[in-house]
Amino acid sequence: MINRIKEAIGAFVTEAAKEEEAQPRLVIVDPAALQEAVKEEEPRSHLLGLFAEVAEEKIAELIHGLLVVTENEYAKKEEERIPIDFYLSTYGGSADDMFALYDIMRLVREDVIVRTVGLGKVMSAGVLLLAAGTKGERRIAKNCRIMIHSVVGGNQGDLHNMLNEMEAIEQLQQMFVDCLVSETKMTKARLKKMLDRKVNVYLSAEEAVELGIADIII
């Protein structure tokens, strides 16, 4: 691309370069003409990012973006489809919104490669999203921190509603365990042991790869 830009700029100053004895002068490059001279190249990947809390509004944007990209790529031959690079750096957030995006990612990766990339911190709900990329294509930065903990719930009200909410939280926890186990190398026993510590469990990039949350350290 850089060489093509240089060639395009060179076309504007060719005449001046031929006049060896000409006095130095200002050459004005027309941006529109330059843009026309340098044709836009096909992107190497589609870029998406989550650098915020896992919350409804942001997740809705990401889901829409994934669906639009997938629809466009699905029309191409399989070998011509461009992968999606999905960058994450999040403290986590809503379990319900996490599952919404996770389920869409599962569907998208059937047709388009999804390369997840963990940066800085990938915690709580973000861990499942990192693991949900196409296996073998999930990346994590060397200094990224992973944190896993139990599902957190906060409710108030009468006893019957509280008991009902506790049951719902237990179901949510089981769903999280089942999904994370299916996407990683962890067994249910090992993951439950981590969650039963009832503290935030921090992992290095190396440990994340060992457990199958990611595949490649960058």
Side-chain angles (χ1 to χ4, degrees), residues 85-209:
D85 284 338
F86 180 24
Y87 292 84
L88 299 101
S89 182
T90 178
Y91 285 112
S94 165
D96 291 325
D97 293 310
M98 170 195 71
F99 282 123
L101 181 54
Y102 169 66
D103 284 336
I104 292 298
M105 291 176 69
R106 287 192 308 108
L107 297 175
V108 167
R109 72 189 185 193
E110 292 180 5
D111 298 311
V112 182
I113 293 174
V114 179
R115 300 188 296 213
T116 49
V117 185
L119 302 172
K121 77 280 183 185
V122 177
M123 303 183 178
S124 187
V127 177
L128 180 58
L129 300 179
L130 174 62
T134 302
K135 285 184 172 59
E137 299 287 351
R138 302 167 301 178
R139 292 160 168 76
I140 183 170
K142 181 179 180 181
N143 297 303
C144 179
R145 292 193 305 157
I146 299 291
M147 187 274 282
I148 300 175
H149 63 188
S150 298
V151 173
V152 178
N155 296 283
Q156 60 182 5
D158 59 63
L159 177 61
H160 298 294
N161 279 325
M162 289 293 290
L163 291 173
N164 184 64
E165 291 302 318
M166 284 298 298
E167 183 179 346
I169 291 173
E170 288 177 358
Q171 292 174 347
L172 206 59
Q173 174 92 330
Q174 188 58 52
M175 288 169 59
F176 177 72
V177 169
D178 290 343
C179 292
L180 200 53
V181 166
S182 71
E183 299 294 347
T184 67
K185 299 175 184 176
M186 288 186 283
T187 62
K188 283 188 178 181
R190 182 167 188 178
L191 181 53
K192 285 183 176 180
K193 186 176 181 180
M194 293 171 64
L195 298 176
D196 286 344
R197 290 168 59 182
K198 299 178 181 179
V199 295
N200 295 337
V201 178
Y202 290 91
L203 305 171
S204 65
E206 290 78 8
E207 290 170 323
V209 170

Side-chain angles (χ1 to χ4, degrees), residues 46-98:
H46 300 287
L47 299 178
L48 293 174
L50 174 61
F51 294 86
E53 182 181 353
V54 178
E56 186 173 16
E57 185 175 352
K58 182 60 180 177
I59 296 305
E61 293 176 1
L62 288 169
I63 288 175
H64 180 262
L66 283 169
L67 293 176
V68 170
V69 168
T70 305
E71 182 68 20
N72 292 335
E73 292 302 317
Y74 188 71
K76 302 177 182 177
K77 295 180 181 179
E78 186 173 353
E79 62 273 13
E80 296 176 351
R81 293 174 188 170
I82 300 171
I84 297 169
D85 284 338
F86 180 24
Y87 292 84
L88 299 101
S89 182
T90 178
Y91 285 112
S94 165
D96 291 325
D97 293 310
M98 170 195 71

